[in-house]
Amino acid sequence: MTRELPTPLLMFIAHRAAEGSIFTALRDAGFTDVTQAQGRLLAGIDPTGTRLTVLADRAGIAKQTATALVDKLEAAGYVQRVPDPGDGRARLVRLTGRAEAMIPVARAEEQRIEGEWAAHLGPRRMRQLREALTQLREITDPYVGQ
Amino acid sequence: MTRELPTPLLMFIAHRAAEGSIFTALRDAGFTDVTQAQGRLLAGIDPTGTRLTVLADRAGIAKQTATALVDKLEAAGYVQRVPDPGDGRARLVRLTGRAEAMIPVARAEEQRIEGEWAAHLGPRRMRQLREALTQLREITDPYVGQ
DNA sequence: CTAAATTGGTTCGATTCACGAACCAGTTCG
DNA sequence: CGAACTGGTTCGTGAATCGAACCAATTTAG
């Protein structure tokens, strides 16, 4: 009999499983040199490029950490830093072709997981889950500015 | 306008906020020398003591990592290792009085968060959220044996 | 009932993650 | 213009993480 676990812990368990699956799928697809922390950062980069501080906020890490992660990603050829035309101080972190090649893989695994979860919960409950989580974001996401 | 985020990411956001709050509450209560990773491990120790490998499984980390974390927790006086009467190889990690003193603080903050979330979602949706997450555990928790 | 395989745990070594503090170069504000 | 702020980097340090190898106790196979 499973005891009642705290809601945040339940989220942790499910999230960890999903992230692990995506990580494994990417590894199996040949992207063996991306770590989970680097992957989380990559996931925050928009198609037009994103500033480092924004990436740090999205991932919930300090900007120094983001600098180090981007350094590695750049060395591995997944991103490049280009000057931000709108602000001389800033630079935009852009995905390279190599990184873009991993997007379909990640998306596919993501879809597979969502499907698996929906199959287990049923469409109604899955929808309820997503609605509740999305609404919860209003009070738990420090980075509401998306 | 917020785009549709993947379900696992939504969980990550909420979980991170909750864990951060509990961590801060503990720090404010004077438990300044416990890190988040150590706290996650502590949370997995039952009142009667728990084996290291079980703790590692619950936290989703390698046993070497658990050894290192328990080393630090033991040095800081939060746990102690006692022989497992049922198995000569094993030892049980037990909470000390100092660690037990932090339980009420963590529980209280946990309750506050659950209450805050329930207030934001409404009781019905909060219940749906917990039910869905609990059911999801059946296919996402590698450590079902609890 | 011994020998082999398994299990609980530790040690070693190396990599990664993470952040405070300090700093520089641009930008914005008064 | 000068002050305050913002985007980013560098430096130094501590924490987390795990593969590999190992030991001791237990369980399993023959």
Side-chain angles (χ1 to χ4, degrees):
Chain A
M1 184 49 196
T2 57
R3 70 186 147 129
E4 288 293 308
L5 298 187
T7 311
L9 179 53
L10 292 171
M11 293 177 179
F12 175 69
I13 291 169
H15 166 261
R16 184 180 57 194
E19 195 178 56
S21 292
I22 294 173
F23 185 69
T24 302
L26 285 173
R27 228 179 11 78
D28 292 349
F31 301 99
T32 56
D33 53 351
V34 180
T35 67
Q36 299 212 24
Q38 291 168 17
R40 273 195 289 270
L41 210 72
L42 276 180
I45 304 178
D46 337 86
T48 59
T50 308
R51 291 190 189 170
L52 188 115
T53 48
V54 173
L55 289 183
D57 283 347
R58 286 185 185 168
I61 57 178
K63 57 181 179 176
Q64 306 98 299
T65 308
T67 297
L69 291 174
V70 169
D71 283 349
K72 300 220 169 125
L73 285 169
E74 192 167 32
Y78 286 104
V79 303
Q80 55 184 43
R81 287 181 243 228
V82 301
D84 183 335
D87 189 329
R89 296 165 296 183
R91 303 156 82 180
L92 293 177
V93 180
R94 295 268 286 268
L95 297 178
T96 64
R98 183 168 187 214
E100 278 163 0
M102 57 194 294
I103 293 180
V105 180
R107 287 274 182 282
E109 181 62 14
E110 208 169 87
Q111 286 301 311
R112 195 195 62 73
I113 293 168
E114 301 262 358
E116 187 179 280
W117 287 6
H120 186 70
L121 296 181
R124 175 196 200 78
R125 204 162 249 201
M126 181 68 181
R127 187 173 40 74
Q128 291 173 348
L129 173 64
R130 282 195 50 83
E131 284 171 6
L133 286 171
T134 301
Q135 191 178 346
L136 215 46
R137 197 179 155 215
E138 295 165 8
I139 58 169
T140 55
D141 192 350
Y143 186 75
V144 271
Q146 200 255 126
Chain B
M1 183 46 194
T2 56
R3 73 187 144 128
E4 289 292 308
L5 298 186
T7 311
L9 179 53
L10 293 171
M11 293 177 180
F12 175 69
I13 291 169
H15 166 260
R16 183 179 59 193
E19 194 178 59
S21 292
I22 294 174
F23 184 69
T24 301
L26 285 173
R27 232 182 5 82
D28 292 350
F31 301 99
T32 56
D33 53 351
V34 181
T35 67
Q36 299 211 24
Q38 291 169 18
R40 273 195 289 268
L41 209 73
L42 276 180
I45 303 179
D46 341 84
T48 58
T50 308
R51 290 190 189 170
L52 189 116
T53 47
V54 173
L55 288 183
D57 283 346
R58 286 185 185 167
I61 57 178
K63 57 181 180 177
Q64 307 98 300
T65 308
T67 297
L69 291 175
V70 168
D71 283 350
K72 298 210 172 139
L73 286 169
E74 192 166 32
Y78 285 104
V79 303
Q80 56 184 42
R81 287 180 242 227
V82 301
D84 183 335
D87 190 327
R89 296 165 296 182
R91 302 156 83 180
L92 293 177
V93 179
R94 295 269 284 269
L95 296 178
T96 63
R98 183 169 187 212
E100 279 163 1
M102 57 195 295
I103 293 180
V105 180
R107 286 275 182 284
E109 181 62 15
E110 207 170 88
Q111 285 303 310
R112 195 194 63 74
I113 293 168
E114 300 263 358
E116 187 178 279
W117 288 5
H120 186 71
L121 296 180
R124 176 196 199 77
R125 204 162 250 200
M126 182 67 181
R127 187 173 41 74
Q128 291 173 346
L129 173 64
R130 282 195 51 84
E131 284 172 5
L133 285 172
T134 301
Q135 191 178 345
L136 215 45
R137 199 180 153 212
E138 294 165 8
I139 58 171
T140 56
D141 192 350
Y143 185 75
V144 271
Q146 199 253 132

